[in-house]
C-alpha cells in the first residue's frame, strides 16, 4: 500500500516529463508532483463561506477509496494479503464511490464551474462504467474468475494465447482508462479556466491540503489503471505467492519497467492527439462499450477467439 | 400458537384499526400510527422467527367462499416478505408519528393507513386464489384512497384515476391467471394449483398475465406509467410504503405464482422477463435523471430497481429451467436481497423527501438547495441512502448488485445460445442503469441538499422532528448493516432459495472475516466489512497525519469560481442543467427529449425562453393509444344508451338466439 502511494506522483511526474520532452521542452523534475503535493499540504485551506462538512470530508474519502482500490490491484506479486477483499467489479465500484463524492463536492459550494464539472463527469462515468464492466465480463469468462490475482495467473499461463476478444478488451480498457483519468482526448489535465474542463472544474474550489489529497488520489488512479492493464494484459514477471526473494526483486523491476512504458505510451498518445468536444466523448466511450460487448459475445460464439 | 395464527391476528388487528380510527377521530392520529408501528414490528419479529426456524404453518379460517374458507399459510417465502413488510411498516409508522403533528387533514389518511398495511400482510399470507385476490384488491383500493388524500390537487385526482384504471386492469389479468391455473374444476386452493400440471403454452399465457398483473403493480415497463403519478401524489409516508413495500408485495405475487404455483417451465419463458427487466431498469433511471420533481424522480428510480429485481428473477428462471440449481439459487437470492435493500433505502429516501417537503413546502429540486446546512441530520441520513441506492461499496445496494453480476457470470453454463447472448447484454444494461443511478442521485442530492439555497423557503428550512429522524436513522442503520454483513442476510435467505429453486447459496457465516463467497473463493469474493474498515482507517490515517504534520489552518472566504463568483443562486447548476449532458446523449433517442430556444430579436422586450421537453415512451406507445381506443369504443357504444324499448327487446332477443346457437354448435 505504501509502495503505490510513493510511486503514484512519480508516475505522474514521469508522464509530464515525457510530454515536455516530446514537445522539446525540458520539463520539471519527475519528483515535482511530490513537491507540489507536500507544498500544498503545508498551506492553509481557504474554504468558501457556504462550504459544508461534506466538502471538507470528501477529499479524505476520495483519497481513501482510491487508495484502497489501488492497493487491491496486484502490482508485482499476486495473492497478496487481503487481496480477496474485493474483486475487479468491486474495485471499479470503489472508484465509483470516490467519483460520487468528488461530484458531490463539486456541487457543494454552488458555483457554475463545479456543477458543469460534476454533470459532465457523471455523463462520462455512465458510459465508462458499463464498458469497464463488460471488459470485466470478458476477462472473467476467460479466466473463470473476477478475482484479479486469479485473472493475472491465468493470463500469465501459456494456455491463454492470443485472442481477438482480449485485443478488443485491451483497446476498450485503454479507452476507459483515458476517460476515467481525465486525459486527452476526453479531458485535459493541464487546462484551467476553460469551459471544456471536467475534472479540474470540479476541484476548482479546493485549496491547500484538501487539494493535495485530491491530486494524490488522481495520481493513484492513474497508477491503478496502468497497473491494472499491466497485470491483466502483460502479467509477465509477476511473482506468485511464496516465491523466492530474488523473484520478488525481478518482479518489482519488471513492474517499474511496465509503469514507465505505460507512462511513455500515454505521453506519446497525448501529444499526438487533440482534445475532442465534450459531446464527442459519448461516441468515443460508446465505441469502448461496443468493443467490450463484442469481446464478450465473441467468447460465447467461439471458445477459441 | 403457530406463527401463522399470530400473523393472521396481526393482519386482522391492522384491518380493524381503520374503523376504530374513524370512531376515535382526528386526535387519535398518533395513536393509530403508534399501534400500526407496534403491530408491524411484531410482524417483522414473527416473519424473522418463521424464516430462521423454518417450518410451514397453515390455518383455515371460516370466512370467504363458503365451500373454500380462507386458507392461510406462512412458509419461508411469505415469512421473508412479512419481515420486509414488518420492518418497512414499522419504520414508516414511526416516521408518521412525527408527520401526524403537522398533518392538517389526518382523517384523509388514518382510516386507510392501517388497513393498507393489513391488506398487504393478508396478500402475503393467502393460500388460496380467492383470499389472495380479495386481499390484493383491498390493498389496491385502500392505497387508491391514500393517493387521493390530497384530493384538492387536480394532479392528485388525475393520478388517482390513472391508478384506479391500472389497478383494475392488473387485477383482471391476475383473475384470468388464477382462473387458468385453477382449471375448469375450480381448484382454488394453492395446494391444488401446485399439484396440477399444465402445457407449456398455458404456462406461458399465465406468465404473460402475471407480468401484466403483478408487473404493472410493481412498475414493470411498459406498464409503469401510472407509478410516477400515483406514488408521489400520496402523503410522503404513504409514498414510502407504496414504493418501499407495496411494490415488494407485487413482486411476491409474481414469485409465488411463477416460482411456486406454476411448477417447472420451459426455458423460453425467461428471456422475456430478463429483457423486460433490463429495459425497465434503464428506462426508469433515465426518466429519474430528467425529472425535476424530487418525489417523482424517486418513483422513477423505484421503477429502475424493480427492473433490476426482475432481471435477476428472469435469470433465476433461466437457470432453473436448465436444472442449474446452484446458479438459480444465487440469482434468486440476489433478487430477494435487492428486494430487502430497496425496501430500506427507498423508504428512507421518501421519508427524507417528505421531510424536505415539510420544511420547504415544495417538491421541486430547483427550489431547494443548501439543505445540508439547515437540515444536517436529514442530509446525513439521505447521503447514506443515495450512496446505497447508487450501488456503491461498502453499502448494501452494491452487495446485491454484485451478487446479480456474479450470477450473470454463471450464464456460460446455459445450453441455449440465445440466453448466453442475452445474459451479458442484460449485464451491460444493468451496469448502465447502475452508473446512471449514480448520476441521478448525485443530481438529486447535489441540487437538493448542496449548493446555495435556491428559494427563501429553502433558506429558512428547519430540521425534521425527532420521530421522523429516528425512523430514518433506523433504516440508514439497516442499509449500513446489510452492506457490511451481506453474508448474514444471504444465510437468512437460504430457506427461501431452497424452497423455490431446490438449492441455496453456500453458507456464508463460516467464511473467514465474513467474506461474501457466492460460488467459490477462487472465483469471486467481496468483503464489505473489510472494505469499509480499510476506507475508514486510511481516510482517518491520512487526515490525522496531514493535520498533525502539515497544516490544520482554515480560512473562510468567498467562493473562488474562477474569480467571478455570481451571488445569484440561479447561476448554480440546477436539476435541468445537470441532466443536460445525459439528456443530449441518451434522452434524445429514448425519450424524444427536445430543447427549444426562443430568442427575441434585439430591441424586442420579450423575455428569452429556453424550454426542455421529453416524453415517456410507454405513455406514447401504450397508454395513449389504448386510452384513445377505449374512448372511441365508448363513444360508439354510447349510442345504445338512447334506444327505444322495442329496439332493446329485439336486441335482447337477437343476442339470446345468437348465444344459444353458439352453445349448440359448441357441443
Amino acid at each position: 500500500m505504501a509502495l503505490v502511494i510513493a510511486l503514484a506522483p512519480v508516475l505522474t511526474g514521469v508522464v509530464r516529463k515525457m510530454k515536455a520532452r516530446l514537445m522539446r521542452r525540458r520539463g520539471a523534475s519527475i519528483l515535482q508532483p511530490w513537491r507540489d503535493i507536500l507544498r500544498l499540504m503545508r498551506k492553509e485551506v481557504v474554504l468558501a463561506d457556504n462550504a459544508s462538512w461534506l466538502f471538507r470530508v470528501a477529499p479524505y474519502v476520495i483519497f481513501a477509496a482510491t487508495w484502497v482500490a489501488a492497493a487491491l490491484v496486484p502490482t508485482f506479486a499476486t495473492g497478496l494479503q487481503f487481496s480477496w477483499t474485493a474483486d475487479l467489479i468491486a474495485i471499479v465500484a470503489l472508484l465509483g464511490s470516490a467519483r460520487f463524492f468528488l461530484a458531490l463536492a463539486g456541487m457543494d459550494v454552488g458555483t457554475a464551474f463545479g456543477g458543469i464539472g460534476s454533470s459532465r463527469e457523471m455523463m462520462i462515468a455512465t458510459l465508462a462504467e458499463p464498458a469497464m464492466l463488460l471488459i470485466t465480463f470478458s476477462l472473467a469468462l476467460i479466466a473463470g474468475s473476477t478475482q484479479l490475482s486469479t485473472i493475472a495467473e491465468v493470463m500469465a499461463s501459456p494456455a491463454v494465447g492470443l485472442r481477438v476478444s482480449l485485443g478488443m478488451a485491451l483497446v476498450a480498457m485503454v479507452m476507459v482508462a483515458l476517460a476515467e483519468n481525465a486525459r486527452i482526448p476526453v479531458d485535459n489535465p493541464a487546462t484551467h479556466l476553460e469551459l471544456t474542463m471536467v475534472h479540474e472544474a470540479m476541484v476548482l474550489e479546493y485549496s491547500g491540503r484538501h487539494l493535495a489529497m485530491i491530486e494524490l488520489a488522481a495520481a493513484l488512479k492513474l497508477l491503478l489503471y496502468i497497473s491494472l492493464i499491466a497485470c491483466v494484459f502483460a502479467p509477465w514477471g509477476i511473482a506468485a505467492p511464496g516465491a523466492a526473494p530474488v523473484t520478488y526483486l525481478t518482479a518489482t523491476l519488471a513492474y517499474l519497467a511496465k509503469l514507465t512504458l505505460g507512462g511513455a505510451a500515454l505521453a506519446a498518445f497525448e501529444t499526438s492527439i487533440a482534445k475532442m468536444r465534450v459531446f464527442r466523448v459519448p461516441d468515443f466511450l460508446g465505441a469502448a462499450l461496443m468493443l467490450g460487448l463484442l469481446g464478450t459475445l465473441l467468447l460465447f460464439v467461439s471458445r477459441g477467439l | 400458537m403457530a406463527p401463522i395464527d399470530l400473523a393472521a391476528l396481526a393482519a386482522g388487528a391492522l384491518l380493524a384499526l381503520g374503523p376504530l380510527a374513524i370512531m376515535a377521530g382526528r386526535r387519535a392520529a398518533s395513536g393509530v400510527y403508534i399501534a400500526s408501528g407496534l403491530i408491524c414490528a411484531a410482524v417483522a419479529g414473527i416473519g424473522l422467527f418463521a424464516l430462521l426456524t423454518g417450518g410451514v404453518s397453515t390455518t383455515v379460517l371460516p370466512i370467504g367462499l363458503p365451500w373454500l374458507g380462507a386458507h392461510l399459510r406462512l412458509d419461508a417465502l411469505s415469512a421473508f416478505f412479512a419481515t420486509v413488510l414488518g420492518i418497512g411498516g414499522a419504520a414508516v409508522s414511526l416516521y408518521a408519528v412525527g408527520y401526524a403533528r403537522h398533518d392538517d387533514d389526518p382523517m384523509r389518511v388514518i382510516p386507510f393507513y392501517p388497513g393498507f398495511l393489513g391488506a398487504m400482510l393478508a396478500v402475503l399470507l393467502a393460500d388460496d386464489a380467492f383470499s389472495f385476490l380479495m386481499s390484493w384488491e383491498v390493498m389496491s383500493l385502500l392505497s387508491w384512497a391514500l393517493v387521493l388524500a390530497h384530493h384538492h390537487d387536480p394532479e392528485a385526482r388525475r393520478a388517482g384515476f390513472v391508478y384506479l384504471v391500472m389497478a383494475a386492469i392488473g387485477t383482471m389479468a391476475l383473475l384470468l391467471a388464477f382462473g387458468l391455473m385453477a382449471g375448469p374444476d375450480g381448484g382454488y386452493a394453492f395446494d391444488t394449483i401446485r399439484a396440477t400440471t399444465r402445457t407449456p403454452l398455458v404456462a406461458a399465457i399465465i406468465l404473460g398475465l402475471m407480468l401484466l398483473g403483478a408487473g404493472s403493480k410493481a412498475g414493470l415497463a411498459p406498464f409503469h406509467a401510472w407509478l410516477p403519478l400515483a406514488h408521489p401524489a400520496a402523503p410522503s409516508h404513504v409514498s414510502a410504503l407504496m414504493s418501499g413495500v407495496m411494490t415488494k408485495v407485487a413482486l411476491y405475487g409474481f414469485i409465488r405464482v411463477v416460482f411456486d404455483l406454476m411448477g417447472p417451465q420451459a426455458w423460453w419463458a425467461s428471456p422475456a422477463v430478463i429483457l423486460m427487466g433490463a429495459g425497465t431498469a434503464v428506462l426508469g433511471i433515465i426518466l429519474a435523471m430528467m425529472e425535476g420533481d424530487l418525489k417523482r424522480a424517486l418513483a422513477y428510480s423505484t421503477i429502475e430497481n424493480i427492473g433490476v429485481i426482475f432481471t435477476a428473477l428472469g435469470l433465476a428462471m433461466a437457470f432453473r429451467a436448465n436444472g442449474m440449481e446452484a446458479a438459480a439459487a444465487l440469482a434468486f437470492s440476489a433478487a430477494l436481497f435487492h428486494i430487502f435493500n430497496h425496501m430500506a433505502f427507498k423508504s428512507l429516501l421518501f421519508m427524507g423527501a417528505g421531510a424536505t417537503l415539510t420544511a420547504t413546502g415544495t417538491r421541486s429540486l430547483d427550489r431547494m438547495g443548501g439543505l445540508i446546512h439547515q437540515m444536517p441530520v436529514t442530509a446525513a441520513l439521505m447521503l447514506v441512502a443515495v450512496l446505497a441506492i447508487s450501488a456503491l461499496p461498502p453499502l448494501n445496494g452494491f452487495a446485491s448488485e454484485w451478487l446479480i453480476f456474479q450470477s450473470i457470470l454463471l450464464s456460460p453454463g446455459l445450453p441455449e445460445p440465445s440466453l448466453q447472448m442475452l445474459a451479458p447484454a442484460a449485464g451491460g444494461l444493468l451496469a448502465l442503469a447502475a452508473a446512471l443511478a449514480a448520476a441521478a442521485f448525485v443530481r438529486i442530492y447535489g441540487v437538493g441538499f448542496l449548493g446555495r439555497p435556491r428559494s427563501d423557503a429553502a433558506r429558512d428550512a428547519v430540521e425534521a422532528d425527532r420521530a421522523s429522524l429516528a425512523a430514518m436513522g433506523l433504516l440508514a442503520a439497516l442499509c449500513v448493516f446489510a452492506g457490511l454483513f451481506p453474508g448474514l442476510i444471504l444465510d437468512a435467505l437460504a430457506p427461501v432459495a431452497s424452497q423455490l429453486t431446490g438449492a441455496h447459496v453456500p453458507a456464508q457465516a463460516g467464511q473467514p472475516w465474513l467474506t461474501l463467497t457466492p460460488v467459490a473463493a477462487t472465483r469471486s469474493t467481496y468483503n464489505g466489512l473489510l472494505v469499509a474498515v480499510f476506507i475508514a482507517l486510511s481516510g482517518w490515517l491520512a487526515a490525522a497525519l496531514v493535520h498533525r504534520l502539515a497544516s490544520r489552518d482554515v480560512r473562510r472566504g468567498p467562493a473562488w469560481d474562477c474569480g467571478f463568483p455570481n451571488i445569484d443562486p440561479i447561476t448554480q447548476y440546477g436539476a435541468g442543467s445537470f441532466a443536460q449532458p445525459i439528456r443530449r446523449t441518451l434522452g434524445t433517442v429514448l425519450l424524444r427529449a427536445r430543447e427549444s430556444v426562443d430568442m427575441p430579436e434585439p430591441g424586442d422586450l420579450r423575455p428569452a425562453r429556453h424550454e426542455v421537453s421529453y416524453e415517456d415512451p410507454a405513455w406514447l406507445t401504450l397508454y395513449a393509444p389504448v386510452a384513445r381506443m377505449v374512448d372511441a369504443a365508448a363513444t360508439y357504444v354510447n349510442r345504445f344508451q338512447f334506444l327505444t324499448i322495442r329496439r332493446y327487446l329485439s336486441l335482447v332477443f337477437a343476442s339470446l338466439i345468437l348465444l344459444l346457437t353458439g352453445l349448440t354448435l359448441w357441443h
Side-chain angles (χ1 to χ4, degrees):
Chain A
M1 276 181 107
L3 173 79
V4 287
I5 210 160
L7 276 181
V10 179
L11 175 68
T12 312
V14 168
V15 175
R16 283 192 196 155
K17 179 87 176 171
M18 285 184 180
K19 273 180 83 170
R21 295 302 302 174
L22 283 169
M23 293 172 187
R24 310 207 66 176
R25 286 188 282 118
R26 189 174 291 156
S29 148
I30 57 168
L31 291 177
Q32 190 59 37
W34 254 128
R35 291 191 198 127
D36 287 343
I37 286 171
L38 290 178
R39 180 180 45 114
L40 279 171
M41 278 192 183
R42 282 195 297 269
K43 291 200 163 197
E44 67 172 357
V45 166
V46 182
L47 273 182
D49 290 323
N50 64 333
S52 67
W53 57 267
L54 186 76
F55 191 78
R56 304 179 65 171
V57 172
Y60 301 106
V61 176
I62 294 161
F63 167 73
T66 318
W67 192 16
V68 170
L72 287 168
V73 176
T75 48
F76 59 90
T78 59
L80 295 175
Q81 195 69 34
F82 292 117
S83 68
W84 40 262
T85 304
D87 64 352
L88 187 50
I89 300 177
I91 290 173
V92 174
L94 264 176
L95 292 178
S97 299
R99 175 178 26 242
F100 195 87
F101 272 95
L102 188 59
L104 284 184
M107 301 283 287
D108 186 56
V109 176
T111 57
F113 272 109
I116 202 173
S118 298
S119 88
R120 289 183 175 177
E121 172 83 2
M122 292 323 278
M123 187 257 298
I124 293 170
T126 47
L127 292 165
E129 267 188 15
M132 191 61 203
L133 203 88
L134 285 171
I135 298 164
T136 310
F137 277 1
S138 12
L139 296 178
L141 288 174
I142 292 172
S145 165
T146 50
Q147 294 299 103
L148 267 176
S149 278
T150 321
I151 294 179
E153 276 163 26
V154 172
M155 289 293 165
S157 69
V160 177
L162 278 176
R163 286 169 187 246
V164 178
S165 49
L166 271 183
M168 289 181 168
L170 173 61
V171 176
M173 184 143 26
V174 170
M175 290 164 97
V176 170
L178 287 174
E180 288 268 348
N181 284 297
R183 309 302 299 197
I184 295 174
V186 175
D187 191 7
N188 188 349
T191 183
H192 272 294
L193 307 191
E194 223 192 301
L195 277 170
T196 49
M197 59 190 183
V198 179
H199 180 266
E200 296 297 322
M202 275 190 289
V203 303
L204 199 60
E205 297 297 328
Y206 273 117
S207 55
R209 56 177 183 272
H210 294 159
L211 187 59
M213 292 324 280
I214 288 179
E215 300 263 304
L216 199 53
L220 270 173
K221 198 170 171 186
L222 181 64
L223 180 92
L224 183 154
Y225 268 95
I226 293 186
S227 310
L228 187 63
I229 293 173
C231 112
V232 172
F233 296 101
W236 308 295
I238 282 192
V246 185
T247 327
Y248 276 110
L249 193 66
T250 50
T252 315
L253 288 177
Y255 174 63
L256 290 179
K258 283 185 234 171
L259 276 189
T260 322
L261 266 179
L266 176 63
F269 182 73
E270 282 204 306
T271 28
S272 62
I273 200 163
K275 190 191 165 308
M276 58 173 72
R277 281 196 305 132
V278 151
F279 284 104
R280 292 277 309 280
V281 171
D283 302 343
F284 178 76
L285 285 172
L289 194 69
M290 282 303 119
L291 278 175
L293 187 63
L294 270 180
T296 315
L297 289 182
L298 269 182
L299 282 173
F300 281 110
V301 177
S302 158
R303 297 275 149 183
L305 288 171
Chain B
M1 254 177 133
I4 179 66
D5 299 318
L6 287 171
L9 205 65
L14 283 169
L15 284 167
L17 209 54
L20 281 179
I22 297 176
M23 282 185 268
R26 55 183 303 146
R27 272 167 306 148
S30 300
V32 170
Y33 287 131
I34 291 173
S36 321
L38 288 177
I39 298 175
C40 280
V43 169
I46 297 166
L48 204 58
F49 174 77
L51 188 62
L52 294 180
T53 54
V56 177
S57 49
T58 55
T59 187
V60 182
L61 298 180
I63 48 175
L65 292 184
W67 65 92
L68 190 65
H71 293 250
L72 300 179
R73 178 175 134 117
L74 191 70
D75 56 7
L77 180 66
S78 36
F80 165 70
F81 277 93
T83 314
V84 169
L85 179 133
I87 296 175
V92 170
S93 303
L94 178 58
Y95 173 86
V97 173
Y99 181 87
R101 296 210 188 106
H102 48 75
D103 186 7
D104 32 85
D105 200 3
M107 291 316 281
R108 283 271 160 195
V109 180
I110 51 163
F112 310 114
Y113 177 86
F116 177 44
L117 282 167
M120 288 197 285
L121 183 56
V123 172
L124 302 181
L125 300 178
D127 196 32
D128 64 81
F130 183 78
S131 21
F132 182 90
L133 287 171
M134 192 72 189
S135 325
W136 184 281
E137 200 55 12
V138 172
M139 167 182 91
S140 294
L141 281 176
L142 289 179
S143 56
W144 171 75
L146 289 167
V147 166
L148 280 182
H150 300 305
H151 61 111
H152 296 297
D153 182 4
E155 218 172 291
R157 285 205 296 273
R158 172 163 176 261
F161 173 69
V162 177
Y163 178 34
L164 196 62
V165 171
M166 279 314 287
I169 294 174
T171 309
M172 197 169 84
L174 287 183
L175 206 65
L176 289 173
F178 276 104
L180 274 176
M181 279 192 286
D185 306 326
Y188 290 120
F190 281 178
D191 281 334
T192 328
I193 295 178
R194 233 176 249 125
T196 325
T197 49
R198 318 177 168 76
T199 60
L201 183 68
V202 175
I205 295 175
I206 296 174
L207 177 68
L209 287 168
M210 283 313 292
L211 280 175
L212 175 59
S216 70
K217 186 63 109 196
L220 189 67
F223 317 119
H224 67 275
W226 66 272
L227 193 149
L229 296 175
H231 284 199
S236 296
H237 61 299
V238 179
S239 307
L241 266 191
M242 289 179 79
S243 254
V245 180
M246 189 175 77
T247 53
K248 309 301 168 302
V249 175
L251 284 167
Y252 164 82
F254 182 81
I255 294 173
R256 174 62 79 193
V257 169
V258 173
F259 281 83
D260 185 16
L261 300 182
M262 257 162 71
Q265 294 134 40
W267 68 270
W268 46 259
S270 53
V273 182
I274 299 177
L275 262 182
M276 279 175 98
T280 304
V282 173
L283 181 68
I285 198 65
I286 290 184
L287 284 163
M289 185 78 205
M290 304 294 134
E291 185 57 57
D293 177 319
L294 172 57
K295 282 176 80 177
R296 201 174 283 172
L298 292 180
Y300 277 125
S301 138
T302 297
I303 296 174
E304 180 233 340
N305 282 280
I306 292 297
V308 171
I309 294 165
F310 264 104
T311 314
L313 288 176
L315 283 168
M317 285 167 68
F319 288 129
R320 198 173 73 138
N322 284 301
M324 296 166 66
E325 270 130 11
L330 176 57
F332 188 72
S333 311
L336 293 183
F337 192 13
H338 200 74
I339 285 173
F340 175 80
N341 291 340
H342 185 245
M343 178 277 291
F345 47 64
K346 189 47 66 66
S347 306
L348 173 52
L349 283 167
F350 265 113
M351 289 178 190
T356 56
L357 175 60
T358 312
T360 64
T362 177
R363 285 173 12 192
S364 166
L365 282 172
D366 280 327
R367 300 187 57 76
M368 297 178 189
L371 293 177
I372 195 169
H373 300 287
Q374 274 80 33
M375 309 172 73
V377 185
T378 309
L381 295 171
M382 283 289 270
L383 183 64
V384 175
V386 296
L387 282 170
I389 200 169
S390 306
L392 294 173
L395 290 169
N396 58 350
F398 175 72
S400 48
E401 294 229 5
W402 185 82
L403 286 170
I404 295 175
F405 287 135
Q406 293 303 332
S407 69
I408 288 175
L409 284 171
L410 293 174
S411 63
L414 290 168
E416 293 86 10
S418 58
L419 274 175
Q420 283 186 348
M421 299 275 186
L422 192 59
L429 285 176
L430 286 194
L432 180 64
L436 275 167
F441 281 95
V442 165
R443 171 174 166 272
I444 286 177
Y445 198 80
V447 177
F449 287 86
L450 304 179
R452 286 171 284 155
R454 289 154 213 271
S455 66
D456 293 346
R459 198 186 52 230
D460 305 332
V462 285
E463 182 60 279
D465 55 275
R466 278 206 201 132
S468 304
L469 290 180
M472 286 154 70
L474 186 77
L475 289 178
L478 206 60
C479 286
V480 174
F481 173 79
L484 299 190
F485 304 101
L488 299 182
I489 310 256
L490 218 53
D491 279 352
L493 293 176
V496 193
S498 330
Q499 183 197 347
L500 297 177
T501 59
H504 60 84
V505 180
Q508 305 288 325
Q511 297 286 345
W513 298 84
L514 293 170
T515 306
L516 203 54
T517 316
V519 187
T522 52
R523 193 178 170 93
S524 51
T525 50
Y526 163 69
N527 191 321
L529 179 64
L530 275 185
V531 167
V533 168
F534 284 162
I535 291 182
L537 264 184
S538 45
W540 174 79
L541 190 73
L545 281 179
V546 169
H547 281 133
R548 177 165 288 261
L549 300 177
S551 134
R552 54 190 312 156
D553 301 335
V554 173
R555 183 154 56 91
R556 289 276 179 174
W560 160 233
D561 202 19
C562 278
F564 298 98
N566 189 326
I567 49 152
D568 194 344
I570 201 116
T571 56
Q572 302 177 85
Y573 250 50
S577 39
F578 193 91
Q580 187 252 3
I582 290 175
R583 189 171 63 231
R584 256 182 85 167
T585 49
L586 296 169
T588 41
V589 189
L590 279 172
L591 309 178
R592 294 200 204 169
R594 294 279 175 275
E595 291 178 19
S596 60
V597 180
D598 174 26
M599 188 65 75
E601 296 289 309
D604 195 348
L605 292 179
R606 276 184 307 132
R609 286 200 171 277
H610 180 210
E611 273 171 18
V612 172
S613 66
Y614 65 90
E615 285 148 338
D616 185 344
W619 194 268
L620 281 182
T621 53
L622 188 72
Y623 279 59
V626 168
R628 272 200 301 277
M629 263 162 52
V630 169
D631 208 25
T635 320
Y636 187 74
V637 175
N638 196 21
R639 288 187 210 163
F640 292 96
Q641 206 165 1
F642 305 104
L643 300 184
T644 57
I645 187 94
R646 275 169 296 142
R647 289 191 176 179
Y648 276 127
L649 282 174
S650 44
L651 265 180
V652 167
F653 186 68
S655 46
L656 199 66
I657 297 288
L658 212 65
L659 280 176
L660 284 174
T661 326
L663 211 61
T664 348
L665 288 176
W666 182 265
H667 286 289

